[in-house]
Amino acid sequence: MARANAHAPYSGFAVGAAVLSDAGAIHAGCNVENAAYPVGSCAEAGAISAMVAAGGTRILAALVLGAGDALCTPCGACRQRLREFADDATPVIVAGPEGVRRRFSLGELLPESFGPATLGRGDG
Ligand code: THU
């Protein structure tokens, strides 16, 4: 997947992400680091951008894939990025190179979240 194209020369930690949209399409992304460290972006951000650019408006499921012994769960900022287009019940699948490691719901990863509904927007 997109992870093979990750630009991660500083951390050496390649991440791939994919989101399934309401249009039935799968959009992938990878982390893109930068010599100015804070400018780098996460794999989830790339996948979400690709979905939005293609016209998708909702995430039905998300997958994040990273190597190492620890689970490559989405970082805090990416949990919030996912929340913009998904709800508490949306599956977030965490995988390693060997396959699926664990399944969460977004609500488990980001409980009591601040989302569009907090601002009286959308159905989320
Ligand atoms: N990373 C992601 O792409 N997604 C996450 O949710 C966690 C972290 C990337 C950012 C950075 O390029 C590398 O992993 C190490 O933090």
Side-chain angles (χ1 to χ4, degrees):
M1 67 184 297
R3 178 172 176 267
N5 295 323
H7 178 70
Y10 307 107
S11 72
F13 192 76
V15 182
V19 293
L20 170 65
S21 81
D22 50 337
I26 294 173
H27 302 280
C30 60
N31 53 334
V32 182
E33 297 182 351
N34 191 285
Y37 289 5
V39 180
S41 57
C42 285
E44 297 92 322
I48 292 168
S49 291
M51 182 195 82
V52 172
T57 60
R58 298 294 295 168
I59 293 172
L60 303 185
L63 178 139
V64 185
L65 194 161
D69 293 338
L71 285 180
C72 184
T73 49
C75 75
C78 285
R79 294 175 195 204
Q80 187 68 40
R81 289 190 176 98
L82 292 166
R83 175 66 184 86
E84 185 69 15
F85 303 101
D87 55 37
D88 281 354
T90 305
V92 178
I93 299 161
V94 176
E98 77 285 1
V100 172
R101 289 181 172 178
R102 207 163 142 187
R103 292 166 197 272
F104 298 91
S105 66
L106 183 58
E108 288 179 283
L109 297 176
L110 192 67
E112 305 297 337
S113 63
F114 186 100
T118 315
L119 301 179
R121 304 294 297 266
D123 57 4

